[in-house]
Amino acid sequence: MLVVAIVFFILLLLNMPVAFAIGIGSLMYFLIGSDLPIEITTQRMVAGTQSFPLLAVPFFILAGNLMNASGITERLIRFSNALTGHLKGSLAHVSIVLSTVMGGVSGSANADAAMQSRILGHQMIARGYSGGYSASVIAISSLITATIPPSIGLILYGYVGQVSIGKLFLAGIIPGFLMMTCLMVISYVIARKRNYDSNIVQKRATFKEIMITLKESIWALMFPVILVVGIRFGIFTASEAGAFAVVYALIVGFFIYKELNWKNFKEALSQSVTDNASILLIISVSSILGFLITYDRLPQNAADFLIGITTNEHLMIILILLFLVIAGMFIESTVLVLLLTPIFLPIVQQVGVDPVHFGILMMTIVTFGGMTPPVGVTMYTTTSIMKVPLEDYIKESIPFILGVFALVLLLTFVPSIVMFLPDLFM
């Protein structure tokens, strides 16, 4: 496995796409000193994608792209503005609330950050907000999509770890709203200190105005609610929920909002094919590495090593999360979920940690890696679209990063926050 790791990191440093880095690294195991037949690689690649629960991923990606092409974004911006437009740093709060409600539509942090960078990013800078502050708010608030259902990451975690996706969806709701509150408080403090929006007087929206924008957005806001309720009461499985989501998005786009035309439909379909191809390629080559990890008894060896250090569940989680923070700075979150869930999940279960609780913590941390240097995809997406210098982003993101870490520590030591809804309804 050492050869695999060395080849993998060398290829990453050479900027090779991560799927090929994993695949070539895994192939080296078979070519150098292994008695295993090389045919296992193709068998595992095919078997890795032959899973009914995995169907949820392409369905939800397509549904998210269809919903984004259906005119929901403008409606959700108006709703978010009605709720928070009167606060200091109003556009920052709109971005954070929008990430929360868009998380229930797109399920992808990078997609959310890219969309907001184009729509809100330049508006924030034009209104006098610093580029670093604007980019930090948009990038780090997209982290909320890691927990708000239907998070693609939670679906993959549930698939790999054989954990109830319905419970994971329920468990992510309270942490998602807590993160929204935490980031809004930090944004408000900074905006007030710098006197942002001092020349703009925006009165608080009346209850009637909020209700009007709520009515306009209701079909988008109902989307995650229907999914969670449907899965909880056994109306459909997570995979069937994905298929339902596509039909729901088509009905909303074509017949209710009437903004989804054939041109937008084809663009959404094309984008979904690209997104799914990259994710499923990573999943298929990760299946080879997953087989090798199990074959070399890496989970058992890692468990013995970590339990030799401590059997305290909180300390164990913190050690694993610290490792995930560092790994997330270099490797994309989807890859980490597929590779590390089989290693770490048995360890935390052995010390008494609920797999649902650990799933929320893990997804938050590995997704957060996309917002941090040196190779955070979401960070680069946001700063490149908004043309913000990377050093400005890094400096301005520090308060938000500290806020996220504080929230993760709270969720670690008070697991009842995460488990309240799953325990209540399931």
Side-chain angles (χ1 to χ4, degrees):
M1 288 303 293
L2 182 60
V3 174
V4 176
I6 291 170
V7 172
F8 172 66
F9 282 110
I10 289 174
L11 294 177
L12 275 186
L13 290 172
L14 294 173
N15 286 326
M16 180 171 283
V18 70
F20 293 101
I22 295 170
I24 295 170
S26 301
L27 192 61
M28 295 304 294
Y29 185 97
F30 294 87
L31 297 177
I32 301 176
S34 171
D35 297 328
L36 291 172
I38 199 168
E39 290 80 6
I40 287 177
T41 56
T42 52
Q43 292 171 2
R44 295 311 308 173
M45 285 185 73
V46 173
T49 58
Q50 306 303 300
S51 168
F52 183 71
L54 201 57
L55 279 173
V57 174
F59 278 135
F60 277 120
I61 288 174
L62 175 57
N65 285 326
L66 287 172
M67 293 287 275
N68 285 338
S70 300
I72 67 162
T73 305
E74 278 186 36
R75 292 171 172 81
L76 290 176
I77 288 175
R78 286 199 292 269
F79 175 61
S80 303
N81 192 53
L83 292 175
T84 63
H86 59 284
L87 299 173
K88 280 279 186 184
S90 58
L91 285 179
H93 300 303
V94 169
S95 172
I96 295 166
V97 174
L98 185 60
S99 288
T100 308
V101 293
M102 282 298 294
V105 175
S106 71
S108 165
N110 199 47
D112 174 71
M115 178 273 296
Q116 291 207 36
S117 297
R118 293 187 184 97
I119 295 175
L120 288 176
H122 299 295
Q123 286 187 46
M124 293 172 75
I125 293 172
R127 194 178 279 195
Y129 301 179
S130 73
Y133 172 83
S134 306
S136 298
V137 168
I138 289 174
I140 296 179
S141 66
S142 70
L143 179 62
I144 299 170
T145 63
T147 62
I148 293 287
S151 163
I152 302 299
L154 289 179
I155 295 171
L156 290 175
Y157 172 84
Y159 155 69
V160 175
Q162 299 296 299
V163 181
S164 166
I165 294 173
K167 283 188 176 182
L168 288 167
F169 280 180
L170 282 169
I173 294 172
I174 293 177
F177 280 100
L178 282 177
M179 192 173 298
M180 178 191 78
T181 305
C182 173
L183 295 178
M184 286 182 70
V185 169
I186 295 169
S187 300
Y188 178 79
V189 170
I190 295 172
R192 189 174 180 84
K193 184 178 178 181
R194 297 179 182 177
N195 206 26
Y196 287 154
D197 292 334
S198 57
N199 299 324
I200 299 171
V201 179
Q202 185 163 327
K203 64 176 184 177
R204 184 191 295 267
T206 64
F207 180 75
K208 182 180 178 182
E209 289 169 337
I210 293 174
M211 286 297 103
I212 290 171
T213 58
L214 175 62
K215 183 180 177 183
E216 291 177 346
S217 309
I218 193 66
W219 292 103
L221 297 173
M222 284 294 293
F223 180 56
V225 177
I226 293 171
L227 293 182
V228 172
V229 171
I231 293 172
R232 163 62 188 89
F233 290 102
I235 299 170
F236 35 61
T237 65
S239 303
E240 292 164 347
F244 164 80
V246 173
V247 175
Y248 183 90
L250 289 171
I251 293 172
V252 170
F254 277 122
F255 302 110
I256 298 176
Y257 291 161
K258 297 180 181 178
E259 292 187 26
L260 183 63
N261 52 41
W262 284 110
K263 181 185 176 184
N264 292 341
F265 175 75
K266 286 189 288 185
E267 287 175 358
L269 207 58
S270 174
Q271 183 62 48
S272 299
V273 169
T274 305
D275 294 342
N276 282 310
S278 60
I279 290 176
L280 290 174
L281 181 59
I282 291 171
I283 290 171
S284 63
V285 294
S286 297
S287 297
I288 307 171
L289 190 53
F291 167 78
L292 297 178
I293 286 170
T294 306
Y295 180 78
D296 261 11
R297 294 178 55 81
L298 198 57
Q300 293 89 333
N301 295 334
D304 292 341
F305 173 74
L306 286 172
I307 290 173
I309 297 174
T310 180
T311 54
N312 180 281
E313 63 177 273
H314 294 128
L315 187 55
M316 180 71 77
I317 291 179
I318 289 172
L319 285 173
I320 291 173
L321 292 181
L322 284 173
F323 176 83
L324 292 174
V325 167
I326 297 168
M329 292 179 178
F330 298 92
I331 304 173
E332 203 264 333
S333 61
T334 302
V335 178
L336 288 178
V337 171
L338 293 170
L339 298 187
L340 298 182
T341 299
I343 298 175
F344 289 137
L345 186 55
I347 298 173
V348 296
Q349 286 180 294
Q350 205 167 326
V351 295
V353 177
D354 192 288
V356 174
H357 177 215
F358 179 70
I360 298 300
L361 296 175
M362 180 175 181
M363 274 317 306
T364 301
I365 288 297
V366 297
T367 307
F368 183 62
M371 292 100 197
T372 57
V375 291
V377 176
T378 306
M379 173 186 70
Y380 284 118
T381 299
T382 304
T383 53
S384 62
I385 291 174
M386 295 174 61
K387 296 179 172 56
V388 172
L390 198 58
E391 56 270 23
D392 291 355
Y393 170 89
I394 293 171
K395 182 176 67 176
E396 297 266 21
S397 66
I398 291 172
F400 299 100
I401 290 172
L402 294 176
V404 170
F405 282 156
L407 179 60
V408 169
L409 283 175
L410 175 65
L411 298 179
T412 300
F413 286 98
V414 190
S416 57
I417 296 174
V418 176
M419 298 305 299
F420 177 74
L421 290 180
D423 290 342
L424 182 64
F425 291 108
M426 298 185 76

